[in-house]
Amino acid sequence: MFENLTPGQEIETTVVAVNGETIFIDLNAKSEGVVNAAEFSDENGVCSVKEGDKIKVFFMGEIRGELKFTARIKGEDADSSMIENAFSSRIPVDGHVEKEIKGGYEVKIGGNRAFCPFSQMGGRHKEENETFVGKTLPFIITEYKEGGKNILVSNRAVLEAERAEHIVTLSKKVTEGAVVEGTVKSLQSFGAFVDVDGFQTLLPVSEISFERVNDISTVLSVGQKITAKVLRADWEHERVSISMKALAQDPWSSVSKKFKAGDKFDGTISRIADFGLFISVDKGVDGLVHVSTLKDVDRNTNLKKKFKVGNTLSVVIKEIDAENKRISLVPATSVEQDNSASSYINSQDDGETYNPFAALLKK
């Protein structure tokens, strides 16, 4: 039961009914509280709350026998006493940004003029060329002096409070292991920032796919909708990382069924290291040709000068260790060379003419 309410006190309660211009809220008392429905309505007058919804409001006082509450004070309705009350109780109040002046903005609240510094306008992530002049925005009054002649306000304080509340809600839903949907906001060399319910998460480039991604723009684009799994959720430091790869089938799970030792193929060099060449065996699966098995190569050879990523190399699978995700490869004659030799052998006549080279290859 809400007893002995004081002006400016914030409460969380339940909507009992929405009737025309009035929202009735439950106070667990003999009377109900009332809120102006316009505070929860959009520009078309559609109310965003309904019976049973939970809302947070501030107590304004008893007016003509009714217990009045507000989500924030409408600037055009604010007189000096309401503004002073909003200051002492930290109740958000709407203000109209009149113009930009030295150091900040002039804001009109009711019949009063206030000052909002540049640093206190907008959230922590300001959009480039974002304009505030001409807009009606919510503010917290941080200073109220000289009977209202000197008023300092902050829009950022309101946004930060809303963000903190949003973070608490998200932290209960966006947990490690949860599957979320998001929108790609920007691409970086190390990954992508993805908006998940208004919060920017990080999708590392290594977590996009089992295949190696060299150019992130070839697989993702700004505005793209994705589904991913939450890898880590550090809400204390507001850092969340996600993975698309975690929801895909690991190609290594079927390697032993698709390949075996002795298989020969022409593969593409996907990466070059000091100790050898990585060859693409399948999508998301690379095998290693160790430097010690390469011809005309020693420990002083610069492999990156002798081989190029994207070049083709004929190899034979020496060993498969699917559990540890390792495939050992060795160089081999090319498939094209094998086919040419086979064609040559098959074209030889076993009759009168004896070809010692063909006979040797057939052994």
Side-chain angles (χ1 to χ4, degrees):
M1 180 179 293
F2 298 108
E3 296 180 348
N4 301 320
L5 290 169
T6 57
Q9 181 178 342
E10 184 182 25
I11 66 169
E12 182 176 20
T13 185
T14 305
V15 174
V16 175
V18 179
N19 185 6
E21 298 179 353
T22 304
I23 297 173
F24 295 92
I25 57 174
D26 183 18
L27 299 179
N28 291 323
K30 293 181 180 179
S31 61
E32 297 168 332
V34 295
V35 184
N36 189 341
E39 295 187 22
F40 291 91
S41 300
D42 61 19
E43 57 186 13
N44 297 316
V46 179
C47 187
S48 63
V49 299
K50 60 184 183 303
E51 181 181 341
D53 285 353
K54 293 282 188 181
I55 61 173
K56 288 184 177 181
V57 289
F58 298 91
F59 179 54
M60 294 184 66
E62 184 174 346
I63 303 174
R64 291 188 292 276
E66 290 184 325
L67 298 178
K68 289 276 191 178
F69 291 81
T70 182
R72 62 175 183 262
I73 296 173
K74 293 292 183 181
E76 63 268 22
D77 300 331
D79 57 25
S80 296
S81 62
M82 292 175 69
I83 293 174
E84 187 173 5
N85 184 41
F87 164 66
S88 60
S89 304
R90 289 188 67 82
I91 298 175
V93 56
D94 282 347
H96 187 265
V97 184
E98 296 280 289
K99 58 185 176 181
E100 185 176 324
I101 57 179
K102 185 178 179 180
Y105 298 91
E106 183 180 294
V107 180
K108 187 177 181 182
I109 302 175
N112 297 70
R113 297 193 180 276
F115 175 70
C116 180
F118 286 132
S119 63
Q120 295 302 309
M121 183 67 83
R124 62 176 69 180
H125 301 296
K126 293 183 175 66
E127 299 293 333
E128 189 175 355
N129 299 323
E130 187 174 7
T131 58
F132 300 100
V133 176
K135 294 182 179 179
T136 297
L137 303 171
F139 295 90
I140 287 292
I141 300 174
T142 56
E143 284 188 18
Y144 183 87
K145 298 178 179 177
E146 302 175 29
K149 293 180 181 180
N150 189 352
I151 302 175
L152 193 64
V153 297
S154 170
N155 169 249
R156 183 170 182 174
V158 177
L159 300 180
E160 286 295 310
E162 292 175 350
R163 186 175 187 278
E165 187 175 334
H166 184 55
I167 291 296
V168 171
T169 301
L170 274 182
S171 66
K172 297 176 182 178
K173 181 174 66 172
V174 182
T175 55
E176 292 183 8
V179 176
V180 297
E181 293 183 350
T183 303
V184 177
K185 301 298 289 184
S186 67
L187 302 179
Q188 309 295 332
S189 60
F190 52 83
F193 286 106
V194 179
D195 182 280
V196 176
D197 289 341
F199 181 84
Q200 284 203 0
T201 63
L202 175 64
L203 172 62
V205 66
S206 61
E207 293 297 330
I208 294 174
S209 169
F210 280 102
E211 295 183 64
R212 186 175 181 83
V213 177
N214 295 312
D215 183 358
I216 193 171
S217 65
T218 61
V219 291
L220 292 177
S221 58
V222 173
Q224 181 178 341
K225 304 289 185 182
I226 67 165
T227 301
K229 185 176 182 179
V230 178
L231 289 184
R232 287 173 291 278
D234 180 1
W235 287 107
E236 182 179 351
H237 299 96
E238 296 186 17
R239 294 175 183 171
V240 176
S241 59
I242 59 177
S243 170
M244 293 173 64
K245 186 172 75 174
L247 297 180
Q249 182 180 4
D250 188 343
W252 283 92
S253 64
S254 59
V255 161
S256 296
K257 296 178 182 178
K258 297 171 71 173
F259 305 97
K260 63 182 183 301
D263 283 353
K264 183 177 183 179
F265 63 95
D266 290 340
T268 303
I269 299 175
S270 61
R271 188 158 48 101
I272 301 174
D274 292 338
F275 51 83
L277 308 176
F278 286 93
I279 307 296
S280 178
V281 177
D282 199 8
K283 287 186 175 181
V285 177
D286 285 349
L288 174 66
V289 177
H290 195 269
V291 64
S292 62
T293 66
L294 294 168
K295 291 183 179 180
D296 302 322
V297 167
D298 57 36
R299 62 182 181 180
N300 296 318
T301 301
N302 186 335
L303 295 182
K304 291 184 179 180
K305 289 186 177 181
K306 190 175 182 63
F307 301 94
K308 300 295 181 184
V309 171
N311 286 356
T312 299
L313 186 69
S314 295
V315 293
V316 173
I317 296 178
K318 181 181 179 182
E319 183 181 1
I320 297 176
D321 183 357
E323 184 177 351
N324 293 304
K325 298 185 176 182
R326 294 175 182 171
I327 294 181
S328 177
L329 305 171
V330 292
T333 56
S334 70
V335 174
E336 183 180 356
Q337 287 174 320
D338 290 347
N339 290 338
S340 297
S342 178
S343 297
Y344 179 78
I345 293 170
N346 293 332
S347 69
Q348 300 306 304
D349 183 16
D350 291 332
E352 298 178 358
T353 305
Y354 174 70
N355 186 324
F357 178 68
L360 180 63
L361 289 176
K362 286 183 177 181
K363 289 182 179 180

